[in-house]
């Protein structure tokens, strides 16, 4: 059985297949109206969400399926101290597929080890958010017609922004893709991700420098909930603000994306610019989640080997305090990446 835990779980051919499926769903919604009839999606959200949870819910409803779950872990047995492992064992008896959002990095991976049904990662801590990435990809395809030979500006919180991390992992596989990183130094992209990019990125300190060269500008919110020091958040939160003046420096063909919610980083004046694609992006989120649910529930995926790297039992413990391995009673596992570095199987941090 296949899960969707990270953008790298999908090959480029599979990404293409899901994008084409989403485009077919957009063109022929009626043909999919009963595609998941009799199936149930469980949404297990341990962290706040509007778009992601509602778009998963709308997606399953439009496929003719039903939805159950919780949007606040305090109202579930989690508040009694239940582990993720036990919760998914229980939920496996009630549903056919799970969408899980968790504040701990690697929680959906732990879930997949105990689940009898496919698990979709709907965002885990600052780690990964593959269905947002598929949303971003469908938007790029619909707006610009291609994934290759693009310059992508990533602006804001590149340290904690899980949508950025997942988008990089997916897009770096296409030819001629270059990233322009725009972030305060305190919120710079983690070194392990920069290492993966090799020479496919440049760092600039202002939006003025980035605007004329980017085809896609991916704005992000400073992730308040991940800061231990609230003063630091206050100091950094308005570091980069996209406004109408800056938009004048951009190419006519560029697009602005944002996973939303926005706080201050894009002024409302930008919304009327046809290049502002973030509300169209939200709509694509529903279509792509329909395509993902449909695909994971298909016979081919229900009987396929899980993808991604395999974890080996490891004697070194993970020191990332946001990692699920530090709280959930799981065996510590590791894998060796392409550069020979030993990493935590759950959160990808170096061991
Ligand atoms: C993002 C998330 O949760 O990571 N939102 C979303 O899923 N659309 C981005 C954010 O919260 O800033």
């Amino acid at each position: 059985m296949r899960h969707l835990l990270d953008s790298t779980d999908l090959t480029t051919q599979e990404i293409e297949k899901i994008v084409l499926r989403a485009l077919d769903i957009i063109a022929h919604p009626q043909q999919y109206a009963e595609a998941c009839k009799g199936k149930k999606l469980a949404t297990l959200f341990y962290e706040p969400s509007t778009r992601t949870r509602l778009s998963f819910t709308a997606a399953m409803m439009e496929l003719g399926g039903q939805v159950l779950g919780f949007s606040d872990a305090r109202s579930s047995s989690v508040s009694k101290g239940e582990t993720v492992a036990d919760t998914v064992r229980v939920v496996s008896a009630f549903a056919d597929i799970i969408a899980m959002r968790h504040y701990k990095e690697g929680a959906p991976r732990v879930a997949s080890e105990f689940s009898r049904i496919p698990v979709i990662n709907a965002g885990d801590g600052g780690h990964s958010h593959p269905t947002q990435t598929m949303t971003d990809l469908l938007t790029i395809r619909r707006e610009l017609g291609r994934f290759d030979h693009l310059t992508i500006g990533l602006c804001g919180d590149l340290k904690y922004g899980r949508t950025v991390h997942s988008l990089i992992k997916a897009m770096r596989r296409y030819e001629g893709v270059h990233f322009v990183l725009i972030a305060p130094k305190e919120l710079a992209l983690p070194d392990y991700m920069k290492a993966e990019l090799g020479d496919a990125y440049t760092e600039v300190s202002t939006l003025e420098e980035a605007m004329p060269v980017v085809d896609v500008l991916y704005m992000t919110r400073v992730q308040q909930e991940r800061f231990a020091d609230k003063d630091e958040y206050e100091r950094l939160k308005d570091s980069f603000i996209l406004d109408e003046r800056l938009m004048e420096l951009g190419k006519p063909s560029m697009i602005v994306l944002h996973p939303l919610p926005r706080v201050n980083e894009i002024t409302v004046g930008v919304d009327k610019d046809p290049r502002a694609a973030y509300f169209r992006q939200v709509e694509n989120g529903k279509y792509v989640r329909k395509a993902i649910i449909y695909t994971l529930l298909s016979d081919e995926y229900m009987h396929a080997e899980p993808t991604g790297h395999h974890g080996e039992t490891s004697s070194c413990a993970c020191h990332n305090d946001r990692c699920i391995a530090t709280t959930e009673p799981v065996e510590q596992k590791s894998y060796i990446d392409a550069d020979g570095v030993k990493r935590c199987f759950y959160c990808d941090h170096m061991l």
Side-chain angles (χ1 to χ4, degrees):
M1 181 175 64
R2 288 281 299 267
H3 306 280
L4 179 54
L5 307 175
D6 205 287
S7 313
T8 49
D9 289 350
L10 299 171
T11 63
T12 47
Q13 288 86 343
E14 286 171 336
I15 287 179
E16 191 60 25
K17 214 169 133 183
I18 290 173
V19 166
L20 292 178
R21 178 68 66 192
L23 293 173
D24 194 52
I25 287 172
I26 293 167
H28 311 287
Q30 277 314 318
Q31 285 178 17
Y32 293 86
E34 299 203 336
C36 290
K37 197 170 172 198
K39 302 281 185 196
K40 283 172 276 173
L41 164 74
T43 55
L44 311 183
F45 276 59
Y46 295 76
E47 223 190 19
S49 165
T50 310
R51 259 153 305 276
T52 305
R53 191 174 57 82
L54 294 185
S55 72
F56 265 114
T57 304
M60 191 54 163
M61 286 172 164
E62 289 186 16
L63 291 168
Q66 287 171 308
V67 185
L68 66 165
F70 54 81
S71 56
D72 181 351
R74 283 171 304 186
S75 65
S76 75
S77 278
V78 175
S79 63
K80 301 179 189 166
E82 188 169 55
T83 58
V84 166
D86 282 0
T87 302
V88 297
R89 278 191 186 108
V90 170
V91 171
S92 294
F94 303 143
D96 301 280
I97 186 162
I98 290 173
M100 173 183 282
R101 168 168 289 194
H102 206 288
Y103 46 89
K104 284 283 180 182
E105 303 183 0
R109 187 172 293 281
V110 168
S112 73
E113 293 181 328
F114 294 91
S115 175
R116 285 188 280 119
I117 57 180
V119 176
I120 303 174
N121 178 2
D124 60 330
H127 181 225
S128 209
H129 195 348
T131 65
Q132 180 63 47
T133 296
M134 288 306 301
T135 303
D136 304 339
L137 261 54
L138 177 61
T139 309
I140 293 172
R141 174 62 66 86
R142 293 186 81 192
E143 301 277 332
L144 300 176
R146 66 181 198 280
F147 294 143
D148 53 2
H149 298 95
L150 290 173
T151 299
I152 303 178
L154 301 166
C155 178
D157 189 342
L158 310 188
K159 179 179 179 187
Y160 298 119
R162 56 192 173 200
T163 61
V164 166
H165 302 161
S166 283
L167 184 61
I168 289 177
K169 285 183 195 165
M171 288 301 295
R172 74 186 173 91
R173 297 189 282 185
Y174 296 96
E175 210 184 304
V177 170
H178 189 82
F179 296 93
V180 179
L181 311 179
I182 317 132
K185 65 175 186 325
E186 295 85 343
L187 299 179
L189 193 70
D191 287 339
Y192 82 90
M193 294 225 66
K194 282 189 188 168
E196 279 184 32
L197 284 179
D199 56 6
Y201 76 96
T202 347
E203 283 180 295
V204 298
S205 52
T206 63
L207 268 171
E208 277 82 355
E209 289 165 86
M211 288 310 287
V213 299
V214 297
D215 301 301
V216 177
L217 178 62
Y218 197 88
M219 294 297 295
T220 61
R221 169 180 77 89
V222 175
Q223 305 281 300
Q224 176 174 15
E225 63 277 33
R226 316 249 179 259
F227 279 76
D229 177 354
K230 294 299 163 205
D231 291 340
E232 178 160 80
Y233 168 72
E234 287 301 323
R235 192 165 54 76
L236 296 173
K237 68 176 192 214
D238 294 330
S239 300
F240 296 98
I241 298 179
L242 180 67
D243 59 15
E244 290 156 276
R245 179 188 61 84
L246 281 163
M247 288 298 285
E248 283 173 21
L249 305 176
K251 295 183 193 176
S253 60
M254 74 165 294
I255 53 166
V256 181
L257 301 184
H258 191 309
L260 303 179
R262 115 176 102 182
V263 187
N264 275 332
E265 56 282 350
I266 303 180
T267 63
V268 290
V270 175
D271 298 358
K272 59 181 182 303
D273 190 309
R275 295 171 295 174
Y278 31 90
F279 291 114
R280 300 194 287 278
Q281 187 182 357
V282 174
E283 212 174 310
N284 288 329
K286 182 185 72 179
Y287 300 130
V288 99
R289 288 182 176 101
K290 286 175 83 169
I292 290 168
I293 294 169
Y294 178 89
T295 304
L296 287 179
L297 287 178
S298 69
D299 281 347
E300 185 191 338
Y301 279 73
M302 285 304 277
H303 297 106
E305 275 291 304
T307 47
H309 40 253
H310 294 284
E312 306 285 340
T313 305
S314 167
S315 52
C316 6
C318 183
H319 291 298
N320 171 16
D321 56 10
R322 297 189 308 275
C323 176
I324 187 86
T326 62
T327 46
E328 190 86 3
V330 286
E331 184 183 40
Q332 178 68 57
K333 288 187 193 160
S334 66
Y335 70 97
I336 307 291
D337 74 8
D339 296 316
V341 178
K342 191 173 186 179
R343 299 191 177 281
C344 173
F345 180 56
Y346 299 103
C347 72
D348 291 323
H349 276 243
M350 224 179 269
L351 284 184

